[in-house]
Amino acid sequence: MLADDKDVDALLLTGSIGRDADDDYSDVDFLVIVADGALDQFAERWAAICDSVIPLIYEAALDFGTTRLFNQITDDFVRYDVMATTEAGIGHRSQSTVKVLFDRTGVYKRLPERLPLTEPSPVVVRRLVPEFFRVLSMLPIVLGRADFAVGASGSGLLRSMLIQAFQELVAVEDRGGALYLRRLLPENHYSVITQMPAIEATEASTIDVHRYCAQHFAPAARLLCERTGVEWPAEFVAKVAERTAPTLGQWLTD
């Protein structure tokens, strides 16, 4: 159907399928390249196109201006993400990360063969590092109030930020999605995540998880700051270490 749409220049497979890294649990990522000036019209027609092809039990549309993203799930739980944009909006793609379904205008040949390996993002590091230690600094409040439901939530936040720090350290052409850490992270970092104490709404769990995350996040965060040129918030981190030492002990190493 899209192959007959005059507004569609090319249809590519991206994501894990495009990289030859898919398995039985992978979703299907389509990249629709539309002609200049035709994005709005295509987005308006997309719902009708989907309804005529396969029944859906979930669908959502996101408008990013120069790009439209459609998230869809079929009644047998096959997940489809369809990104529609013009050729000018397909940055961060290469021939090695896509597969061609059809290409009327030679889009594929104009892509670079490969992309440079990913580097840590200064924007991400500048936000992530102080936010981790801000959350960690609230531990005495949680323990003082004995509100261990909040403690479990804080533990979950610290765990998520530790994973994000490890992801930022990975240098690959395309880090892919968030649902396959085993394939992305090196074994030493993956084992850190899998060996983390269980998150429970108890005092012991709150203390154990906060200590564990702090011990492993601090060296990763230092390395991220070094690689991106982001200033290490030494004074703030030292104050947080001092504040949490009565409960967590000395988790910050020189």
Side-chain angles (χ1 to χ4, degrees):
M1 181 175 292
L2 290 181
D4 298 325
D5 191 319
K6 61 181 179 60
D7 289 332
V8 177
D9 291 339
L11 179 63
L12 310 177
L13 282 168
T14 62
S16 58
I17 297 177
R19 299 191 309 274
D20 281 326
D22 57 302
D23 61 17
D24 292 341
Y25 305 98
S26 297
D27 63 356
V28 183
D29 296 286
F30 291 104
L31 178 60
V32 183
I33 311 301
V34 301
D36 289 341
L39 182 58
D40 290 339
Q41 299 94 304
F42 175 82
E44 291 173 359
R45 297 199 310 272
W46 179 247
I49 294 173
C50 287
D51 289 342
S52 67
V53 175
I54 191 168
L56 299 175
I57 60 170
Y58 172 85
E59 55 185 321
L62 301 172
D63 185 346
F64 297 105
T66 58
T67 300
R68 304 288 194 279
L69 177 62
F70 304 94
N71 303 126
Q72 300 163 332
I73 303 176
T74 69
D75 60 0
D76 54 353
F77 281 91
V78 176
R79 295 170 290 121
Y80 293 91
D81 287 341
V82 179
M83 179 175 290
T85 188
T86 63
E87 185 173 350
I90 62 170
H92 309 296
R93 306 286 180 185
S94 68
Q95 293 180 4
S96 63
T97 61
V98 304
K99 294 184 183 301
V100 177
L101 296 178
F102 69 83
D103 183 6
R104 283 197 288 265
T105 61
V107 171
Y108 179 82
K109 292 181 179 180
R110 292 189 287 275
L111 292 174
E113 290 187 9
R114 303 196 72 87
L115 294 172
L117 299 184
T118 54
E119 296 287 345
S121 164
V123 174
V124 170
V125 173
R126 197 172 288 114
R127 172 191 55 77
L128 178 66
V129 172
E131 177 62 10
F132 179 94
F133 293 112
R134 183 190 71 83
V135 173
L136 184 67
S137 73
M138 295 181 182
L139 178 62
I141 300 172
V142 171
L143 297 179
R145 292 174 173 169
D147 193 340
F148 302 121
V150 173
S153 295
S155 295
L157 288 173
L158 295 182
R159 178 183 185 276
S160 294
M161 287 188 278
L162 176 59
I163 291 173
Q164 188 174 8
F166 285 168
Q167 289 174 311
E168 284 295 312
L169 288 170
V170 175
V172 291
E173 188 177 5
D174 183 352
R175 291 189 181 125
L179 294 180
Y180 207 163
L181 291 178
R182 176 178 286 280
R183 178 169 284 170
L184 176 66
L185 297 182
E187 183 56 36
N188 61 324
H189 284 168
Y190 188 78
S191 64
V192 166
I193 303 304
T194 59
Q195 295 171 20
M196 181 178 297
I199 296 177
E200 300 173 345
T202 65
E203 180 179 24
S205 171
T206 298
I207 292 171
D208 289 347
V209 174
H210 278 60
R211 180 190 296 115
Y212 187 92
C213 288
Q215 290 172 336
H216 291 283
F217 183 88
R222 283 184 186 272
L223 185 56
L224 285 171
C225 287
E226 291 173 4
R227 290 187 180 179
T228 57
V230 172
E231 183 178 359
W232 172 251
E235 182 177 359
F236 178 47
V237 175
K239 289 289 186 181
V240 174
E242 180 182 354
R243 175 176 170 81
T244 58
T247 303
L248 301 185
Q250 183 67 339
W251 52 265
L252 182 64
T253 58
D254 294 333

